[in-house]
Amino acid sequence: DKFNNMKEEDSNAALFETHEQLEWIESRKRFYRKRLFKGLVQLEELGQLRRSLYFWHTGKNFERAVMTCIVLNTVVMGMKVFPNEDFPSLRGSDLEGYNSILSKVNMACAVVFTLEAM
């Protein structure tokens, strides 16, 4: 059969990819081998505050805090209650206080998301 003949002729050749596709695959592999895509060069020339902020922002604790805020923000968005007959205990000032707390937690998460984007 023709497939086995092609395979035997050149065992290193890709049978289903073109030359351009193989080059693209290799370039992606080389790209993803890098640990930092946009690392800082000459970090020692920066001020102490910028260096400290850089290490804090790229650290594992900051990443965990962002993930915690994402989960917390998702829970807070799910806790939003619109006044209706199903929740008679949440009316008037109680509902305003409840919504105020949710709004403040949501704003704190937005601050963390903004710091992450910097």
Side-chain angles (χ1 to χ4, degrees):
D1 83 39
K2 191 168 183 159
F3 179 77
N4 286 331
N5 291 340
M6 288 174 61
K7 198 168 146 184
E8 289 173 3
E9 286 176 11
D10 193 3
S11 61
N12 293 332
L15 297 176
F16 299 111
E17 289 96 5
T18 64
H19 179 68
E20 290 81 15
Q21 289 172 330
L22 290 173
E23 285 180 359
W24 184 84
I25 291 170
E26 264 316 301
S27 71
R28 302 308 294 172
K29 286 179 183 177
R30 283 192 306 271
F31 178 74
Y32 285 117
R33 280 189 207 122
K34 294 182 179 181
R35 294 200 46 88
L36 284 176
F37 297 120
K38 186 179 177 188
L40 285 178
V41 293
Q42 301 166 342
L43 194 60
E44 64 278 350
E45 293 177 6
L46 296 176
Q48 180 63 34
L49 178 62
R50 276 188 75 184
R51 245 191 338 259
S52 297
L53 286 174
Y54 173 78
F55 289 124
W56 174 71
H57 187 265
T58 57
K60 289 287 182 189
N61 288 335
F62 186 75
E63 186 177 334
R64 288 183 187 119
V66 169
M67 290 304 295
T68 301
C69 280
I70 290 171
V71 171
L72 179 66
N73 198 22
T74 304
V75 169
V76 166
M77 287 189 299
M79 291 172 64
K80 182 85 171 155
V81 175
F82 297 97
N84 60 25
E85 295 76 30
D86 295 337
F87 298 100
S89 62
L90 286 177
R91 295 196 188 259
S93 63
D94 289 339
L95 183 62
E96 289 173 12
Y98 180 77
N99 284 335
S100 174
I101 291 171
L102 293 181
S103 177
K104 288 176 184 172
V105 171
N106 191 31
M107 193 61 68
C109 290
V111 168
V112 173
F113 298 150
T114 303
L115 287 174
E116 178 200 16
M118 295 179 148

